[in-house]
Amino acid sequence: MGRLFKLGGNHDLRLFAMDIPRRNLTLMLLELDAEHERDGYKARNDSLLLYSVLEATTNYFGNRHGIGSFSLVNHSNQIVVALESKAAKTGELVAKIRELQQLLLNSLQVSFTAIVSDEPTDLLNMARNYREVRELLKYKILYSRTDIMLTSDIRSGDKTSYSYPYDQEELLKNNIRACKKDDAIALFLEMLGGISKERRYQNMYQFVFHLNSTFMALINELGLSVDEIYGEEYSIDRLSNLNNKERVEIFFAGLIQTIVDVIEANKATRANKYYQRIMACIKDHYMKDITLESVSAQVNLSPTYINQILKAHTGTTFVQLLNNTRIERACTMLQEEDVKIKDIAQWVGFSSSKYFIKIFKEIKGITPGKYVKGYHIDWIENP
């Protein structure tokens, strides 16, 4: 009969009795499947049931197959079993696990998912294998069509390495943030093309759920709505149906297009609001000693961005727009009031009448004196 140990929160696997198997060990994590209730599903949390499963498991391997084993209790719905593996090949082990699944289903009406670190280990290195099976357990939802998962199926060479291209992920997000749609889609297709066809564990699902998590984080970062990007039909089942490259390509390329479109639409909306704020600031302060830097501080936008917004909306820079605003106001005053040019220049914000006349001529093509003659014949230019 196997020996029962408690696996601590820090996963310390060093304190064991001396008579247990110490080499050629295979670590296996069994997670009991959720049980159905009227209101949904809940994880099994019955210590007696867990102990019964543990007893049945260790007796099954020890009594029926002569494989030495000991067990460790982790969470309430999980058991970790260490098997002496020198006599069992991987294919044989999988067959035995399937037989155990059927046995427990018949005797205890319980089913489980088995995550097996099938690389032989020993007591000193067991913690690494335990971390490996725990890591693979995170992706259980990706492999919902299987109930036995082997870490060797996702290992690259002699290293545990998942195929998702993390190194390209940040560049993909940056391209989307910058609204470089074509670059983003090209990079996505490159990432998709790197999925191995040789590994068993449906790397397509792993890629889909990893990439989807990346997009979810990006959507949250940008303050966008999930419904706005995915639509109301978003679900895990919908992602699970992306089981070939064509479907994945259509789904995520469309997702990239939608995110970029929303970002650009939001940028246009924000830019229009910023433009209104800039124009209001100029309108309220054009007659004062106003500068691009002072407006920048007033509207809380960088000088460069202010000029970009003005260029997009008016085709002019801040200085050009400010001068246009001042000259238009000066024209109104010249048409309606008998005021000296030097006074008008000062009232509309110019530092001198000479500079005012220079800018007026640049914009209107004539001097203020010639301009006003069409409205007040008797007006005498007196700068």
Side-chain angles (χ1 to χ4, degrees), residues 126-358:
M126 191 181 296
R128 178 179 64 82
N129 292 62
Y130 177 70
R131 287 192 298 270
E132 189 174 78
V133 295
R134 291 286 301 168
E135 180 68 17
L136 183 53
L137 183 62
K138 294 178 183 178
Y139 305 107
K140 178 179 176 180
I141 190 172
L142 310 181
Y143 316 125
S144 56
R145 291 179 174 82
T146 185
D147 51 11
I148 301 177
M149 303 161 62
L150 305 178
T151 56
S152 62
D153 289 323
I154 56 169
R155 189 179 297 116
S156 176
D158 60 351
K159 298 179 180 179
T160 300
S161 175
Y162 295 98
S163 61
Y164 182 74
Y166 290 100
D167 56 328
Q168 296 175 298
E169 179 181 278
E170 194 58 39
L171 179 57
L172 175 64
K173 291 192 291 186
N174 286 339
N175 283 334
I176 295 174
R177 291 186 189 105
C179 294
K180 296 179 179 179
K181 179 190 65 177
D182 293 340
D183 290 346
I185 291 178
L187 182 58
F188 154 67
L189 293 176
E190 181 182 335
M191 295 166 68
L192 179 63
I195 295 178
S196 170
K197 298 179 180 179
E198 299 175 356
R199 297 178 181 176
R200 275 181 47 202
Y201 261 124
Q202 303 181 31
N203 285 330
M204 188 67 68
Y205 289 112
Q206 185 176 351
F207 176 83
V208 164
F209 279 82
H210 270 301
L211 188 59
N212 187 68
S213 296
T214 297
F215 281 133
M216 281 291 194
L218 182 60
I219 288 168
N220 181 64
E221 171 200 318
L222 296 172
L224 306 180
S225 164
V226 173
D227 289 342
E228 185 179 21
I229 302 301
Y230 285 86
E232 297 180 356
E233 298 181 358
Y234 171 73
S235 68
I236 295 298
D237 288 340
R238 184 180 177 188
L239 293 178
S240 297
N241 288 329
L242 303 178
N243 53 12
N244 62 58
K245 287 191 175 183
E246 289 73 22
R247 291 181 180 180
V248 173
E249 178 178 339
I250 292 171
F251 179 81
F252 283 106
L255 209 59
I256 291 171
Q257 177 69 66
T258 300
I259 295 174
V260 170
D261 287 347
V262 171
I263 291 174
E264 289 182 330
N266 289 349
K267 279 183 177 179
T269 301
R270 286 196 300 271
N272 187 56
K273 291 180 180 178
Y274 293 153
Y275 172 70
Q276 299 300 329
R277 286 166 56 188
I278 295 166
M279 292 303 296
C281 187
I282 293 175
K283 182 179 179 181
D284 292 341
H285 302 285
Y286 73 88
M287 70 293 296
K288 302 176 183 178
D289 186 19
I290 184 175
T291 64
L292 179 56
E293 287 68 25
S294 65
V295 173
S296 172
Q298 189 82 8
V299 299
N300 197 29
L301 297 170
S302 74
T304 300
Y305 190 38
I306 289 175
N307 270 330
Q308 288 176 352
I309 293 173
L310 293 178
K311 199 75 174 176
H313 282 77
T314 68
T316 62
T317 66
F318 169 79
V319 172
Q320 291 170 328
L321 182 62
L322 177 60
N323 284 337
N324 286 337
T325 303
R326 286 171 168 171
I327 295 303
E328 289 304 317
R329 176 55 182 152
C331 286
T332 301
M333 295 178 72
L334 289 170
Q335 294 168 20
E336 299 176 354
E337 302 176 27
D338 186 7
V339 186
K340 293 181 180 181
I341 289 178
K342 65 179 181 181
D343 294 332
I344 293 177
Q346 183 178 3
W347 286 343
V348 298
F350 286 100
S351 58
S352 69
S353 57
K354 185 177 181 181
Y355 184 57
F356 166 64
I357 294 172
K358 176 179 180 294

Side-chain angles (χ1 to χ4, degrees), residues 354-371:
K354 185 177 181 181
Y355 184 57
F356 166 64
I357 294 172
K358 176 179 180 294
I359 298 300
F360 193 101
K361 189 173 182 180
E362 287 180 358
I363 293 176
K364 294 298 183 178
I366 57 175
T367 65
K370 291 182 179 179
Y371 176 84

